[in-house]
Amino acid sequence: MKTRKPVYLDCNSTTRIHPKALETMMPFLKEDYGNSSSLHKKGSSARAALESARAVIGDALGTEGVDIIFTSGGTESDNLAIKGICQKNRGRGKHIITSSIEHMAVLEACRFVQAQDFDITYLPVDRYGMVDPLDVKKAVNDHTILVSIMHANNEVGTIQPIREISEIIREINENRETSVDNRKPSACKRIYIHTDAVQTFGKIPIDVDALGVDLLSMSAHKLYGPKGIGALYIRKSTQISSFMHGGHQERDLRAGTVNVAGVVGFAKAVEISRANFKDKKRQECLRDKLYRGLLRSIKGIILNGHPDNGLYNTLNLCFEGVNSTSLIASLDLKGIFVSAGSACIASSPEPSHVLKAMHVPEEYIKSCVRFSMGADNTDEDITYCVQEIPEIINRLRRTHS
Ligand code: PLP
């Protein structure tokens, strides 16, 4: 009997490395293994590869390579942004604004600085998971030094109004600068804007100037690059310190030997994703086909996330009366791989903090599943899901009642 290829619908958790990205990395794991800080030829060829990869990532963000610091992934980039800004600017103010639906990398970094006397405002979201820019404006006070709001949410896909938020902050910063006449801009309490773009970088075009952000986190494994490599965009003149102590790599902002093979694979994946932005429409059609197909044959479905302003690959649904852990296991047996939400807290018994913040009732939260499409998914994959899932839901509902 012919076995079916599994249907992987968990691309917001991670993606398969693109063969071309892997191929580009191989020489740097074999013959070109030099340390990019070494002064000999092996070092200089690693350094050249590192710098050209940096330029590729900078270009993808509409900026220069010098503004990019390589890290071990999205978690480290978020930590560097938050801890780095807090440490360097603590003399100017100790207030941060973030949202209640951030990834744990941001929430836990905020908790860390909170224990060091920082005051954190966690903004609410509406039922679609959207932050209101006016709430940001209201939350700013004289001590605010950082606003950190994610670009798109990993669980429900809602895209946040970062440009509107940065416009508000730009005006506040301008007023602050004019009110501290004769002082250098760096001496006034400038508010920095960080966005966690781990779920958008590689999926949608990003221009850091158009978005108006000072810091932006990225991760390679969400865009068909290798795991364990990411980057933080840092706008020139941003006052930030390192939280990793050691060597002088990455402009003294990230000590440690650079993962050159990872960086090179990351840059290749970025080039490929830029050439494939047109796949967006196809993935969006697959997502909509899945949603419509399930709605047609299953009652008691609730959509979590913004109906119009969400990531084109993400569909988060509650299936009334079904436990998501049982559903994920049943789908797994059918070769359909999905998550209930964030992979890093998948084993936690706590209900999703994102859905809680969106005021989804707890009994529904326990029944939610996230489908996240990717470049490998086909129309047949979705036809298979639409065929198999209703029967699984019916069975689980029958055994539950
Ligand atoms: N931020 C968001 C929004 C994410 O979705 C993730 C990963 O799921 C991260 C940060 C962490 O990225 P990494 O796995 O590269 O540490």
Side-chain angles (χ1 to χ4, degrees), residues 58 60-64 67-68 166 195 206-216 218 233-235:
L61 294 170
T63 184
E64 294 165 44
D67 301 338
I68 308 300
S166 70
T195 192
I206 295 181
D207 181 305
V208 282
D209 289 334
L211 267 189
V213 295
D214 302 302
L215 304 120
L216 181 141
M218 298 155 266
Y233 157 75
I234 307 177
R235 186 176 290 282

Side-chain angles (χ1 to χ4, degrees), residues 1 158 182 324 344 394:
M1 202 177 80
T158 304
N182 303 324
S324 60
C344 24
N394 284 339

Side-chain angles (χ1 to χ4, degrees), residues 12-13 72-76 78 103 105 150 152-154 196-199 218-222 228-229 342-344:
N12 286 9
S13 293
S72 65
T75 299
E76 189 186 325
D78 287 343
H103 188 269
M150 70 199 319
N153 182 264
N154 45 310
D196 174 340
V198 166
Q199 290 295 344
M218 298 155 266
S219 177
H221 74 99
K222 307 290 184 182
I229 187 80
S342 188
C344 24

Side-chain angles (χ1 to χ4, degrees), residues 107-140:
L107 293 177
E108 289 297 320
C110 285
R111 242 165 55 142
F112 176 84
V113 295
Q114 195 168 10
Q116 301 186 338
D117 269 1
F118 275 81
D119 184 19
I120 321 284
T121 300
Y122 297 93
L123 295 178
V125 289
D126 65 15
R127 69 192 178 100
Y128 301 117
M130 187 80 92
V131 170
D132 183 344
L134 287 179
D135 283 344
V136 178
K137 189 173 187 172
K138 282 186 225 148
V140 168

Side-chain angles (χ1 to χ4, degrees), residues 197-323:
V198 166
Q199 290 295 344
T200 49
F201 186 59
K203 288 195 183 99
I204 53 178
I206 295 181
D207 181 305
V208 282
D209 289 334
L211 267 189
V213 295
D214 302 302
L215 304 120
L216 181 141
S217 301
M218 298 155 266
S219 177
H221 74 99
K222 307 290 184 182
L223 54 113
Y224 311 93
K227 291 173 181 57
I229 187 80
L232 180 67
Y233 157 75
I234 307 177
R235 186 176 290 282
K236 286 182 196 69
S237 85
T238 300
Q239 301 291 304
I240 183 166
S241 14
S242 167
F243 73 96
M244 192 94 90
H245 305 290
H248 298 297
Q249 293 91 345
E250 298 297 285
R251 292 189 2 237
D252 273 341
L253 282 172
R254 204 279 179 170
T257 302
V258 179
N259 172 2
V260 177
V263 161
V264 166
F266 183 12
K268 190 67 190 174
V270 168
E271 281 176 348
I272 296 167
S273 69
R274 287 183 83 183
N276 285 345
F277 279 147
K278 56 185 181 307
D279 198 42
K280 166 181 190 276
K281 197 75 219 150
R282 193 189 65 88
Q283 289 183 38
E284 191 169 49
C285 288
L286 294 183
R287 181 199 62 182
D288 294 347
K289 175 177 168 165
L290 177 61
Y291 184 41
R292 279 197 311 271
L294 295 179
L295 274 185
R296 255 197 313 272
S297 43
I298 304 171
K299 291 207 169 56
I301 289 185
I302 297 168
L303 173 71
N304 301 309
H306 204 286
D308 311 312
N309 207 5
L311 281 177
Y312 57 84
N313 77 322
T314 307
L315 180 66
N316 189 311
L317 300 175
C318 291
F319 295 91
E320 202 182 332
V322 171
N323 178 284

Side-chain angles (χ1 to χ4, degrees), residues 19-32:
K20 286 198 179 129
L22 182 61
E23 198 186 304
T24 319
M25 291 169 71
M26 292 316 279
F28 296 93
L29 295 166
K30 292 175 167 176
E31 57 275 17
D32 296 331

Side-chain angles (χ1 to χ4, degrees), residues 10 90 145-146 164 185 200 230 272 304 309 313 329 356 360 380:
D10 201 13
R90 61 186 307 137
I145 54 166
L146 177 67
E164 286 86 335
T200 49
I272 296 167
N304 301 309
N309 207 5
N313 77 322
K356 253 166 90 174
V360 177
E380 292 76 61

